[in-house]
Amino acid sequence: MCRWGCVYNDTVVMCKFCGTRFCRLCLKGEFSGLMINVDHCKKCNQPKCAGKRVEFVAGKGPSTAVKEKYEEWRAKELAKKEKKGKKGKKGGKKKGKKKKKK
């Protein structure tokens, strides 16, 4: 199990450049918030940063039932995030050209 909550134990990798550890599946790591992309470090802002896998213990992963349950939950969470989406403007003044005074 990764430190940040997902059930897999083989998804924690380390940034090649700054050494920050993060989970490739849940996009959480040693920083606040979530990563924008799997291979773009949030701390040092370097692309293609995923280095070697760390914190891996062979044979100690979750059972298939737990994996399936987690995948279902994860799919529901992603669907919720997509459903929220961005809302339209909340009103206010319309921006446009200002009228000249005579």
Side-chain angles (χ1 to χ4, degrees):
M1 183 170 176
C2 90
R3 295 190 239 179
W4 302 282
C6 71
V7 297
Y8 297 100
N9 69 337
D10 59 347
T11 58
V12 179
V13 293
M14 190 166 63
C15 175
K16 291 184 211 174
F17 304 103
C18 66
T20 302
R21 294 172 185 229
F22 59 91
C23 179
R24 292 180 63 94
L25 189 65
C26 62
L27 301 177
K28 295 180 183 175
E30 296 173 337
F31 42 79
S32 60
L34 296 174
M35 293 178 69
I36 297 168
N37 196 354
V38 175
D39 50 345
H40 193 100
C41 185
K42 185 167 183 172
K43 206 167 197 180
C44 66
N45 202 23
Q46 291 284 336
K48 298 180 183 175
C49 69
K52 63 180 182 178
R53 185 174 63 180
V54 291
E55 298 178 15
F56 174 68
V57 180
K60 298 260 182 167
S63 65
T64 54
V66 172
K67 283 183 183 179
E68 290 173 3
K69 188 175 178 182
Y70 179 75
E71 288 298 324
E72 289 174 10
W73 175 81
R74 183 166 163 76
K76 286 180 185 176
E77 289 295 314
L78 289 174
K80 282 182 188 177
K81 286 182 182 178
E82 288 177 8
K83 190 175 180 181
K84 283 185 180 179
K86 289 192 174 185
K87 296 180 181 176
K89 291 185 178 180
K90 293 187 177 180
K93 292 185 178 180
K94 290 186 179 181
K95 293 184 179 180
K97 294 183 179 179
K98 294 183 179 180
K99 294 182 181 179
K100 294 182 179 180
K101 293 185 180 179
K102 289 186 180 182

